Amino acid sequence: MTSAKIRRSVSAAVAALLVPAGMVATALPAHAGACPENYVCMWEDPGYTGSLYVRQYKTSGYYEIDGWDGDNEISSVKNYTGKCIRLYANDNHTGNSYVIHKNVREISNMKHVGFDNEAESYRIYSC
Ligand SMILES: [Ca+2]
Ligand SMILES: [Ca+2]
Ligand SMILES: [Ca+2]
């Protein structure tokens, strides 16, 4: 390979790296607050903002919210599972609980349902 050819392939590699990076940067704002169909998503703050602490596929079962990143912080939820979600106030699916019915797809502020900054674990189940 001549040095000219090497230079061309190097600049082609750099261009290939730059284009996807630019696309990711412009795509991020559009995805803020988004939750894929068939998933349940839970955010730190009202209005689907702050850290996204839970992004779980709809498989029925019992799930923990991370003790450091999520417990007693969940303030908004999108339920795109088509199933019911029971949020528990404590770890290991204990304590007071609140059911998000399968027909309730979005709760923008958990304060409105009396369960703000409470959830520490949850269950996904058909209902
Ligand atoms: Ca919160
Ligand atoms: Ca709690
Ligand atoms: Ca937990």
Side-chain angles (χ1 to χ4, degrees):
M1 200 182 263
T2 68
S3 61
K5 275 182 180 168
I6 291 169
R7 267 200 302 278
R8 262 204 303 280
S9 60
V10 165
S11 49
V14 168
L17 283 172
L18 287 176
V19 171
M23 288 170 68
V24 166
T26 53
L28 273 176
H31 285 90
C35 185
E37 202 60 32
N38 299 313
Y39 281 74
V40 58
C41 301
M42 306 185 194
W43 285 266
E44 174 186 21
D45 297 326
Y48 324 110
T49 60
S51 295
L52 176 62
Y53 285 138
V54 171
R55 185 179 176 279
Q56 174 62 50
Y57 187 70
K58 64 181 178 181
T59 307
S60 294
Y62 292 87
Y63 298 89
E64 270 300 326
I65 296 171
D66 188 90
W68 189 255
D69 289 326
D71 273 5
N72 299 315
E73 295 188 74
I74 302 302
S75 291
S76 54
V77 177
K78 287 185 178 177
N79 174 24
Y80 293 172
T81 61
K83 296 180 177 178
C84 288
I85 310 288
R86 184 180 287 274
L87 300 171
Y88 296 87
N90 299 330
D91 287 333
N92 300 315
H93 320 98
T94 59
N96 292 333
S97 63
Y98 176 79
V99 173
I100 302 172
H101 194 265
K102 62 181 177 185
N103 295 332
V104 176
R105 285 173 55 87
E106 301 185 352
I107 300 176
S108 65
N109 191 340
M110 291 298 290
K111 199 174 283 180
H112 297 158
V113 299
F115 218 71
D116 191 32
N117 299 324
E118 276 288 356
E120 295 177 45
S121 56
Y122 62 101
R123 179 190 179 195
I124 301 175
Y125 63 102
S126 296
C127 57

